[in-house]
């Protein structure tokens, strides 16, 4: 299986949610790959490649190569950083005894040029499309809960769990192992209201019988319930305010905007908007 990660295809988007590892079998896999600066194969040496959930890291050689051996099966975040480039986070899926090839392309950090003094007519500041839609929904008061860019920027050193704790109806479920925190809407399996709760079996990381909230990142589905060992909910304890510009939460299908609504929205929907400006 080959995972091709091109940060240049997503303008300014370089932070994604890190997923918790869910070991499915005892046979270890291998993750190998290269880090380049463009699709022509100009390699980046001395780049730092990390698997945060496993607390493992590697540094690319002069050919841009890296490898991780003895990786337990599961789904993991992979983080890449190099001087002069925007950080990149994505996910990989390691199968028992298999090899994952990850060819990573980084996006160079824009170079600041000398300031020039010009005179121009003032224009209305427009937010990025996703945040502008969030602001429009916030002003209409249609049943959602919102955390704005200014609030997040004023608390850059806080985790997202701090802000989510202030939203009515959200429950922060602590992981059964490790330090994970998973967001559910309070419905329990067996209570008659949770159609999409995980069953009796879990991967030993997130609690069972909870109605985990659907999550979209920059308008793209990231987690859609029901939760299962092969479809674990995101760990919000790993997410920080300095990575995001906005949070929206809708407690039910009736309040969720139509473009994010569907048959699985009964557990609630959360929209996360990543930070794209300094």
């Amino acid at each position: 299986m080959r995972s091709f990660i091109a940060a240049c295809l997503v303008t300014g988007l370089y932070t994604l949610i890190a997923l918790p590892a869910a070991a499915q079998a005892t046979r270890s896999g291998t993750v190998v790959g290269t880090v380049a600066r463009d699709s022509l194969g100009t390699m980046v040496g001395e780049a730092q490649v990390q698997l945060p959930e496993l607390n493992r890291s590697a540094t690319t050689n002069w050919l841009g190569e890296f490898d991780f051996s003895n990786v337990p099966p599961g789904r993991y975040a992979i983080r890449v950083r190099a001087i002069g480039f925007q950080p990149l986070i994505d996910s990989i899926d390691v199968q028992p005894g298999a090899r994952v090839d990850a060819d990573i392309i980084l996006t160079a950090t824009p170079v600041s040029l000398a300031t020039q003094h010009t005179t121009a007519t003032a224009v209305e500041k427009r937010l990025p499309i996703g945040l502008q839609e969030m602001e429009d929904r916030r002003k209409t008061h249609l049943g959602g809960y919102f955390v704005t860019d200014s609030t997040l920027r004023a608390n850059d050193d806080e985790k997202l769990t701090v802000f989510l704790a202030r939203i009515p109806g959200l429950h922060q479920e602590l992981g059964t192992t490790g330090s994970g925190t998973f967001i559910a809407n309070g419905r329990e399996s067996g209570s008659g209201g949770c159609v999409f709760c995980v069953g009796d079996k879990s991967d030993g990381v997130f609690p069972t019988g909870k109605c985990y909230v659907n999550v979209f990142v920059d308008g793209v589905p990231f987690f859609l319930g029901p939760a299962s060992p092969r479809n674990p909910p995101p760990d919000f304890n790993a997410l920080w305010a300095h990575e995001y510009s906005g949070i929206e939460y809708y407690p039910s299908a009736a309040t969720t905007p139509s473009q994010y609504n569907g048959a699985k929205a009964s557990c609630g929907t959360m929209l996360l908007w990543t930070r794209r400006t300094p």
Side-chain angles (χ1 to χ4, degrees), residues 185-199 209-212 225-227 263-268:
N185 73 353
R187 296 188 182 126
E188 304 282 341
S189 62
S191 66
C194 183
V195 179
F196 298 104
C197 293
V198 69
K210 307 298 179 182
C211 201
Y212 292 105
K264 299 179 180 180
S266 64
C267 293

Side-chain angles (χ1 to χ4, degrees), residues 152-166:
L152 292 167
R153 288 180 184 271
N155 299 275
D156 267 352
D157 58 347
E158 300 285 2
K159 294 184 177 181
L160 290 196
T161 50
V162 172
F163 307 94
L164 301 183
R166 304 168 187 170

